[in-house]
Amino acid sequence: MPTIETTRARHIDPVLARSFRVSARCGCFTQAARSLNIKATQLRKQLAQLETQLQCSLFNPSDNGVSLSRDGLEFQAHLIALAHERDLPVIEQPLIRLAVAEPILHDILGRDLISLVRRNASVRLDIVTLDSELSLQAISADVVVWLAGTDSPLPGPSFNVGEPQRLARLGYVPHISKRYSRVAARPESLDDLADFLLVQWQHDRQLDAFNPWNSLVDQRLAAVVRVHAYELMLEMIRSSACIGLVPHYLSQLDRGLVALPGLFEQPMERQVWMAVNTESRGQPDVQMLVELIENTFNERREWFQA
């Protein structure tokens, strides 16, 4: 059988050599493609090109993915001997900083951000959750998504940003779990709420937009749960027969919840805003993140108020 000479290994395209090294390390073409931030089909083409140049097969299929063939092991040894593993620089990925309101991250953006990192395992993404106006003022980020009143995006970030973009208007109504409420017994007035346990996310307690709900909760001498975590509030509604104030889209996101409209005469609304740091808005990775957020909200347009 032909052997791979060191001189031939020395003249291999560094891109092909890197694709081989990552594939050998991962033992899985899909994971290797994610690490290289390329499609699996492109990786396979590169490896096929490399095998053509070397005139041998470098990988064998195995029960757990792929393993190096005898020629693959030999080629790997030549690369190590040529110090490719040490001398080829690691391409540093720019750090993208995203600051996002906790409910928006949990309900709307989380799934698409997970898809982003599944497609691109080499991404450097720093995600900070915003749970108060104070945290919004304290952070610095490349992209920030926050909740504000319906009149303006203020108060907004304290660092320099471009013109804020309105992404959605959210209406808030009390919700209850379907499994804890028969249709005939669901509350239709504020007086009907006396027989139900209420749950409140503490962050909402400071918002003027939620005064009707907050006043009701503050008047309670019993049957009130206050929590500091948004996700815990949702779980209390789902699993503890609580009624809580959440965005209207929750009944679209979770079919086990039902909205209770008409309990309050005054509407309770907030708007979702996005802005980009003026210093980093031209970076391709930042633009990629902005487009992802815009597409996510566009795809869920029917969830939001007009």
Side-chain angles (χ1 to χ4, degrees), residues 119-283:
R119 296 191 305 268
N120 182 2
S122 63
V123 70
R124 294 178 66 206
L125 184 60
D126 187 4
I127 302 175
V128 178
T129 57
L130 306 174
D131 59 5
S132 66
E133 292 180 3
L134 182 62
S135 62
L136 175 61
Q137 294 293 308
I139 57 93
S140 177
D142 299 300
V143 181
V144 58
V145 179
W146 74 100
L147 288 161
T150 55
D151 297 330
S152 79
L154 300 177
S158 59
F159 56 92
N160 292 329
V161 297
E163 185 70 23
Q165 175 184 351
R166 195 189 84 159
L167 296 175
R169 184 159 64 98
L170 308 182
Y172 287 75
V173 293
H175 280 65
I176 191 171
S177 172
K178 288 181 180 178
R179 64 176 172 169
Y180 290 117
S181 61
R182 294 181 294 108
V183 175
R186 285 174 188 158
E188 297 181 350
S189 69
L190 292 182
D191 290 338
D192 294 339
L193 291 179
D195 296 323
F196 292 87
L197 179 65
L198 305 185
V199 60
Q200 181 185 50
W201 184 32
Q202 283 291 78
H203 167 63
D204 291 345
R205 195 177 185 186
Q206 311 302 321
L207 301 178
D208 292 340
F210 295 164
N211 276 342
W213 170 261
N214 292 335
S215 296
L216 174 68
V217 174
D218 287 342
Q219 292 170 11
R220 282 288 181 99
L221 300 179
V224 171
V225 178
R226 292 188 172 96
V227 298
H228 290 267
Y230 178 76
E231 190 171 358
L232 179 57
M233 178 189 66
L234 296 183
E235 193 58 34
M236 296 289 277
I237 298 172
R238 294 188 184 105
S239 306
S240 300
C242 290
I243 293 178
L245 185 72
V246 293
H248 193 280
Y249 61 70
L250 251 297
S251 55
Q252 298 285 334
L253 183 64
D254 187 339
R255 298 297 183 179
L257 300 181
V258 60
L260 302 172
L263 296 179
F264 297 93
E265 294 181 2
Q266 180 181 342
M268 291 175 278
E269 298 178 344
R270 304 199 81 197
Q271 292 196 122
V272 185
W273 296 88
M274 176 175 67
V276 184
N277 193 314
T278 54
E279 295 183 359
S280 55
R281 61 185 173 187
Q283 296 179 11

